[in-house]
Amino acid sequence: MADHDPGRDVKETPRLFKMFKDDPEGADKALFGRVAHADRRGFLRGAGLATMSAMVGMAIPFHRNMPSGFVPMALAEKLGAVEGKDGLTVLNDRPVNAETPPHLLDDAVTPTARHFIRNNGIVPDDMSPDNWTLAVDGLVDTPMQLSIADLKSQFEVVTENLTIECGGNGRAFFDPPASGNQWTYGAVGCSQWTGVRLADVLKAAGVKDSVVYTAHYGADMHLSGDPEKLPISRGVPIAKAMNPHNLIAFEQNGAPIHPMNGAPLRLVVPGWPGSCSQKWLTRIQLRDVVHDGPKMTGSSYRVPNRPVSPGEDVAKEDFVIIEAMPVKSLITFPETGVSTSDRTIQVRGHAWSGDETIAKMEVSMDFGATWMDADLDAPVNPYAWQQWRAEITFPQAGYYEVWARATNDKGVSQPHAIAWNPKGYLNNSMHRISVRVA
Ligand SMILES: Nc1nc2c(c(=O)[nH]1)N[C@H]1C(S)=C(S)[C@@H](COP(=O)(O)O)O[C@H]1N2
Ligand SMILES: [Mo]
């Protein structure tokens, strides 16, 4: 294996090979959410021929020529398919980060198989719900240790469609480039989440007057494997925490939460950067100072407090924590690049806006010179993305772009391009697709 570098000819998942070579167990965990049985551990390295054939779906006639530890291309490609996920584009394999192409986000409720994955660390080994406990402590009257059964029996269980978007969604379009996962459009989803209200649990614990901020902790492990380090621990101001639409969720789309989306228990704090929605949730602590956990400080999920020029170095003290996400929309039908012989097509998608609702949705077929109103649905509940649709009739054959622009109830619209910021957050520029009319 040492002199064989399959990464050379695999652009999409070069790290996959290295990952299984360096740390087969970690690789199993990161990719499949668990370590394989001992006889399959680091399944690619140890895989018997039978296992490998089963995974590629047929016999491998020249298997004798495969170097030991070899990863068949078919598997590398399939890893776009993390178990239980379908059609996602893998941006990174350690930690696993995968986004959903816009045309696969067409459903009003994002199927679990299409909900994006944004991991900062190594997913926990044990996600069994039975002995999971959530600690609620810090500046509360009564610190609590709650099992999932306690949550279900002591608090009202509610179900809501809630939009989660990564603060870095759209980062790929910054110029000069911003470092981090190069999310295009699909680090967003609106699954149906079932759980109890965060506010109800905090009220039961008794929020002390001095509390200003929450701190969220999860069971995932730092990439270094160092148990003293946390991959991510963020929080929100107590006023946001008390919003009745934040959930401590134990179900996604009527079933247990997907392992990569935080099973068996996660926070859903919609409207704010996805990073506020701690997965594999084990503890919520209340504090009298702003939280300073990993990914709360420096340039993480923070933006300059003033416009800066592209490439400018910004002092750490000039950064502010991102709160509500900006107004945004997606065209989920048709898929960009579509060719049609019909002059008239249906266009549709979703729109959402931090803590606000969408008031107006418009589309353009002439590069933004003129706009027409789309038909816009009300949200099924606050923080659910809203569906919109429009019928567009093209005047003649040719190449067109359809652009979409949402405006929220504060009158704020999506821009054509957004101001550059060092970490490439908050890109809410308009989504556009190309259409060829024959
Ligand atoms: N414990 C834990 N929670 C986490 C993360 C993480 O790495 N670990 N990533 C956060 C980030 S940055 C985002 S955008 C959302 C993504 O949620 P999803 O992976 O279910 O789509 O989870 C958040 N919660
Ligand atoms: Mo994120």
Side-chain angles (χ1 to χ4, degrees):
M1 193 71 195
D3 57 352
H4 180 80
D5 177 16
R8 231 176 16 218
D9 33 68
V10 182
K11 291 201 182 61
E12 301 268 296
T13 54
R15 303 202 51 190
L16 172 74
F17 299 92
K18 194 173 176 333
M19 179 181 172
F20 271 99
K21 192 171 143 218
D22 296 351
D23 175 13
E25 287 190 22
D28 276 350
K29 250 185 264 173
L31 285 161
F32 301 105
R34 57 180 160 70
V35 176
H37 294 296
D39 60 338
R40 264 190 53 204
R41 185 155 291 172
F43 79 90
L44 295 170
R45 167 182 285 180
L49 180 61
T51 315
M52 210 177 290
S53 301
M55 306 238 8
V56 300
M58 47 179 63
I60 308 174
F62 290 115
H63 67 89
R64 284 200 174 76
N65 301 341
M66 293 163 83
S68 76
F70 183 78
V71 182
M73 262 317 272
L75 288 194
E77 283 160 0
K78 255 195 203 159
L79 287 165
V82 173
E83 203 171 290
K85 293 287 176 182
D86 174 30
L88 271 55
T89 307
V90 177
L91 302 184
N92 193 356
D93 50 34
R94 185 186 167 81
V96 178
N97 285 288
E99 68 169 313
T100 317
H103 70 282
L104 296 183
L105 285 172
D106 196 37
D107 303 88
V109 176
T110 306
T112 302
R114 291 181 176 172
H115 199 282
F116 75 103
I117 304 169
R118 197 297 183 238
N119 290 347
N120 288 267
I122 300 170
V123 303
D125 267 341
D126 184 359
M127 299 189 215
S128 61
D130 299 341
N131 31 30
W132 198 267
T133 49
L134 170 66
V136 182
D137 59 17
L139 297 169
V140 295
D141 298 329
T142 318
M144 302 193 293
Q145 290 277 348
L146 299 157
S147 66
I148 295 178
D150 293 336
L151 289 169
K152 290 180 181 172
S153 63
Q154 293 173 29
F155 302 94
E156 187 188 346
V157 173
V158 292
T159 297
E160 294 195 9
N161 298 3
L162 301 169
T163 311
I164 299 178
E165 182 179 18
C166 181
N169 198 20
R171 177 178 292 132
F173 307 113
F174 282 92
D175 184 26
S179 68
N181 288 302
Q182 296 300 299
W183 304 111
T184 63
Y185 302 104
V188 62
C190 184
S191 283
Q192 187 171 72
W193 299 95
T194 297
V196 299
R197 294 183 191 92
L198 172 63
D200 290 349
V201 174
L202 296 183
K203 277 181 219 156
V207 179
K208 290 198 184 293
D209 288 343
S210 56
V211 170
V212 302
Y213 229 84
T214 61
H216 314 151
Y217 296 88
D220 46 341
M221 197 171 46
H222 192 268
L223 285 178
S224 65
D226 180 349
E228 302 298 306
K229 289 189 183 162
L230 298 172
I232 184 169
S233 171
R234 304 197 69 244
V236 294
I238 189 66
K240 171 66 178 176
M242 298 310 277
N243 182 294
H245 300 286
N246 301 323
L247 300 185
I248 299 174
F250 37 76
E251 277 182 23
Q252 177 178 19
N253 297 321
I257 297 173
H258 187 279
M260 292 292 167
N261 298 124
L265 195 68
R266 78 170 296 170
L267 270 177
V268 181
V269 178
W272 286 36
S275 51
C276 300
S277 295
Q278 196 83 26
K279 301 192 281 187
W280 310 290
L281 182 70
T282 54
R283 180 182 178 206
I284 300 167
Q285 181 203 30
L286 299 189
R287 299 165 53 103
D288 59 4
V289 288
V290 174
H291 187 36
D292 55 1
K295 307 274 162 112
M296 279 302 300
T297 57
S299 54
S300 294
Y301 301 104
R302 307 199 325 155
V303 287
N305 58 9
R306 60 191 155 80
V308 298
S309 45
E312 187 179 332
D313 227 353
V314 184
K316 295 273 183 264
E317 55 275 17
D318 291 345
F319 282 84
V320 292
I321 297 171
I322 298 170
E323 299 201 327
M325 292 293 287
V327 56
K328 197 161 172 179
S329 61
L330 270 184
I331 302 166
T332 58
F333 183 89
E335 182 178 359
T336 190
V338 70
S339 293
T340 170
S341 49
D342 292 335
R343 284 282 172 81
T344 299
I345 64 165
Q346 267 270 343
V347 180
R348 62 174 182 258
H350 318 288
W352 64 99
S353 179
D355 293 320
E356 315 298 330
T357 51
I358 300 297
K360 187 184 174 75
M361 189 68 214
E362 298 160 290
V363 292
S364 173
M365 62 165 140
D366 55 11
F367 304 100
T370 62
W371 293 87
M372 63 179 266
D373 280 347
D375 170 40
L376 173 70
D377 293 345
V380 296
N381 55 253
Y383 295 99
W385 64 15
Q386 293 168 241
Q387 283 58 64
W388 60 266
R389 62 206 69 74
E391 203 172 80
I392 297 183
T393 301
F394 300 102
Q396 62 187 79
Y399 174 89
Y400 295 88
E401 289 189 8
V402 175
W403 295 7
R405 174 169 80 183
T407 302
N408 70 19
D409 54 6
K410 293 272 169 15
V412 181
S413 298
Q414 292 180 255
H416 288 275
I418 82 145
W420 184 89
N421 67 81
K423 290 294 286 289
Y425 292 123
L426 303 178
N427 189 347
N428 68 331
S429 53
M430 295 174 223
H431 187 205
R432 25 192 277 246
I433 61 164
S434 66
V435 179
R436 287 179 165 79
V437 182

